[in-house]
Amino acid sequence: MNRNRRCFIKQSSALMATSTAGLMGLQKSAHAATGKAPVRFITVMNALGIMDAARDEHLVKTPTDEVQALQASDFRTAIDPFMNFRDNMIVMQGLNNASAISQGTGSHAGGAAHVLTGGNIRSGNTGTLVTTTGPSLDVHIANLIASQAGTPYRHLNFNTGGLGGEGGMSFCYDNNGVQVPRLVGPQKIYQRLFASPVDDGGPKDKFSLEAKIAVLESVGKNITQLKQNLPGMSAKESLNFYQSSIEQLAGQFNSQANFMPSASCENPGAPKLDFDRLHLTPDQIQVELDKQLDRDVDATLNMAFQALNCNFSRVLTMDFGGVQPKITYPWLADDLQKYGSSAGMGRSESHGISHQGSDAAAIYMCVLRNYYAKKYAQLCQRLADTPDSDGSSMLDNTVFLWISEVSRGADHGMDNYPVTVLAGKNTGFKQGGLNCKFDGRSLNDLYTTILKASNLPHTSFGSKSSNTGTIDALLA
């Protein structure tokens, strides 16, 4: 094992001091009892939505029933890269952002505030400085894990960088309804998670942990033998107390051992910049960022995988472009032409295109989704190929949510959201693939369903008036 690898494993242990140690109680009660690793929850946000008219031809075949099997023939441009994960997929339309509709919200920023919180926006908000009445779903799940474990738990919030900007709006909200800061750009993500200087502790971390477990177990056995020879009840009571304490500590060590970095945990390496930002104007920087976007997306998803693989967190949110992204995708020209759009649209910024009502614009939004679907499918494949602590794959214990801040960019729609969920076989979701259209149901109902499928059951989430209950047709 080389020095960089040893340093990284050492750092991994340090990073887990606050988050992984917090899983000890959860691991002891859940993993030891059921043999299943706790759920992972990944949220990816792509702004601007998909126009209704384009969905049957370019998203997914519109189901004739509320819930029906997802067939291979149902796949369209926007989700085709997920074909290999059909058995894990739940593709949904018809869900409403009920709290946004109730408050008359009609903006990208407002939709972003409502979409994961399912709650109301507080009065007095301006621009992107929006506060809500409660946490977003991802933060809430992290909080629930923390409450079970009895310690704070890390939630990671990534943004690709340069697209939504440092001051761009976060989709994540804490318990007080305040936006959770993002790690913006691959460089900052790397510096925060992977580049901290550490002492070279060598490959001994896990071995020393296992040695501690063995010592504690040996001490526990010795105490048991001593108790049998003690005549006084008070002495036995004392030893009972100490034995109980040692057994609890041994269980915690065992828990931490299960959440050590996996054998495939690696430092992804520092992302490289191909241009000097310090000597360029803001407009020139934006041009260069557009050229670099594809590499930044790959770097961000690679670090996301390693953050999960190294057990820095089990709750991760990523947004690619932020709210109202003014991004160009010139390399999509051939695909745009292939699917009947205009190749020239690849050189126009995406937010402006989303407000056009043309067929070419509708196709553009689905081709753009296809680009990101390819990237997300690669992440899911890595999760599927990587063993988890319970012997299954990381994907088997993952719920993956793909959503946007508005359902349609053209009119800032808050109804009929296109939502895709990938759910591992060890979650509480039905397997086999589902194609659904839930007219009139709310995103809140979906979120209570996700909580229940994650063994974190709730009767409601967000604004109570927006809840009608779990969507039982999705549950195993």
Side-chain angles (χ1 to χ4, degrees):
M1 184 178 295
N2 61 38
R3 178 181 174 87
N4 289 338
R5 169 72 173 169
R6 293 196 302 266
C7 289
F8 184 61
I9 292 295
K10 179 77 172 180
Q11 178 192 342
S12 299
S13 299
L15 273 169
M16 289 188 293
T18 56
S19 60
T20 303
L23 286 167
M24 293 174 180
L26 177 64
Q27 174 74 354
K28 187 174 182 181
S29 61
H31 179 72
T34 66
K36 295 182 179 180
V39 72
R40 289 179 185 83
F41 183 60
I42 303 172
T43 307
V44 292
M45 303 290 301
N46 286 111
L48 308 177
I50 298 179
M51 300 175 193
D52 291 353
R55 295 186 186 181
D56 185 70
E57 186 175 357
H58 293 288
L59 174 64
V60 66
K61 182 179 179 181
T62 303
T64 55
D65 297 324
E66 185 177 73
V67 178
Q68 62 188 49
L70 178 65
Q71 307 293 338
S73 58
D74 294 342
F75 282 70
R76 303 290 190 262
T77 309
I79 62 169
D80 186 65
F82 282 117
M83 180 70 76
N84 288 343
F85 300 100
R86 178 165 62 95
D87 286 347
N88 304 109
M89 288 186 68
I90 303 172
V91 184
M92 289 166 277
Q93 299 181 72
L95 294 169
N96 296 332
N97 193 338
S99 61
I101 293 172
S102 176
Q103 283 198 298
T105 300
S107 67
H108 290 283
H114 284 284
V115 70
L116 287 181
T117 66
N120 294 327
I121 295 176
R122 299 181 189 275
S123 60
N125 292 292
T126 58
T128 60
L129 299 176
V130 179
T131 58
T132 67
T133 53
S136 52
L137 178 66
D138 49 354
V139 174
H140 187 58
I141 288 176
N143 289 340
L144 291 173
I145 293 175
S147 66
Q148 290 188 23
T151 187
Y153 186 68
R154 182 189 299 275
H155 160 256
L156 297 178
N157 185 12
F158 294 172
N159 172 269
T160 316
L163 312 175
E166 294 283 349
M169 183 173 180
S170 172
F171 293 87
C172 307
Y173 288 80
D174 64 20
N175 282 346
N176 296 317
V178 177
Q179 291 179 40
V180 175
R182 301 174 296 177
L183 290 173
V184 180
Q187 291 75 30
K188 287 196 173 182
I189 296 170
Y190 178 80
Q191 289 295 324
R192 176 66 183 87
L193 294 182
F194 301 101
S196 300
V198 294
D199 295 328
D200 186 359
K204 63 187 179 183
D205 294 288
K206 186 167 185 177
F207 298 126
S208 64
L209 186 59
E210 291 169 347
K212 292 174 184 176
I213 295 170
V215 169
L216 287 169
E217 289 176 345
S218 176
V219 170
K221 291 178 181 178
N222 289 340
I223 290 178
T224 299
Q225 294 174 354
L226 286 171
K227 283 169 58 177
Q228 296 172 355
N229 299 324
L230 286 174
M233 179 61 72
S234 60
K236 285 186 177 181
E237 289 175 348
S238 297
L239 284 173
N240 280 334
F241 173 78
Y242 287 123
Q243 183 177 29
S244 176
S245 299
I246 289 174
E247 288 172 350
Q248 290 177 10
L249 187 57
Q252 290 175 346
F253 278 136
N254 270 308
S255 171
Q256 190 172 1
N258 286 323
F259 281 87
M260 288 290 287
S262 72
S264 58
C265 168
E266 293 182 353
N267 189 322
K272 296 180 179 179
L273 293 175
D274 287 347
F275 62 95
D276 184 357
R277 302 179 189 222
L278 297 178
H279 298 92
L280 298 178
T281 66
D283 288 343
Q284 290 172 326
I285 289 175
Q286 187 60 55
V287 170
E288 294 299 329
L289 283 169
D290 287 342
K291 294 179 182 178
Q292 189 174 314
L293 172 63
D294 187 54
R295 183 170 54 255
D296 280 355
V297 170
D298 286 340
T300 299
L301 288 170
N302 184 36
M303 285 184 283
F305 168 75
Q306 289 299 348
L308 296 168
N309 188 32
C310 298
N311 282 310
F312 294 167
S313 178
R314 286 181 175 261
V315 184
L316 173 66
T317 303
M318 295 175 282
D319 69 271
F320 294 86
V323 179
Q324 291 181 267
K326 297 182 178 180
I327 312 168
T328 61
Y329 297 85
W331 64 87
L332 292 181
D334 289 344
D335 282 347
L336 288 168
Q337 193 167 22
K338 172 184 175 182
Y339 290 107
S341 185
S342 167
M345 279 189 169
R347 293 184 293 274
S348 301
E349 58 93 0
S350 53
H351 176 240
I353 294 175
S354 75
H355 280 276
Q356 299 177 19
S358 66
D359 290 342
I363 294 171
Y364 169 94
M365 298 309 300
C366 292
V367 171
L368 182 57
R369 286 258 170 160
N370 173 272
Y371 164 76
Y372 282 105
K374 291 175 182 175
K375 303 296 186 181
Y376 301 154
Q378 290 171 4
L379 171 62
C380 290
Q381 188 62 56
R382 295 184 73 181
L383 295 172
D385 292 340
T386 305
D388 210 340
S389 61
D390 61 354
S392 60
S393 75
M394 290 175 64
L395 185 65
D396 290 337
N397 298 311
T398 297
V399 175
F400 179 97
L401 171 68
W402 186 13
I403 198 168
S404 55
E405 90 292 8
V406 295
S407 60
R408 302 172 300 276
D411 63 345
H412 297 170
M414 299 293 162
D415 64 318
N416 194 20
Y417 271 72
V419 181
T420 299
V421 168
L422 265 72
K425 68 179 184 180
N426 292 338
T427 68
F429 281 106
K430 283 183 179 176
Q431 300 294 292
L434 297 175
N435 187 4
C436 313
K437 188 164 177 55
F438 297 115
D439 291 330
R441 297 298 295 264
S442 67
L443 291 172
N444 304 68
D445 291 344
L446 172 62
Y447 298 161
T448 56
T449 306
I450 288 174
L451 288 165
K452 185 172 182 178
S454 303
N455 198 29
L456 302 167
H458 274 52
T459 56
S460 66
F461 178 80
S463 174
K464 290 189 179 300
S465 61
S466 300
N467 287 265
T468 60
T470 56
I471 306 176
D472 292 336
L474 303 182
L475 296 171

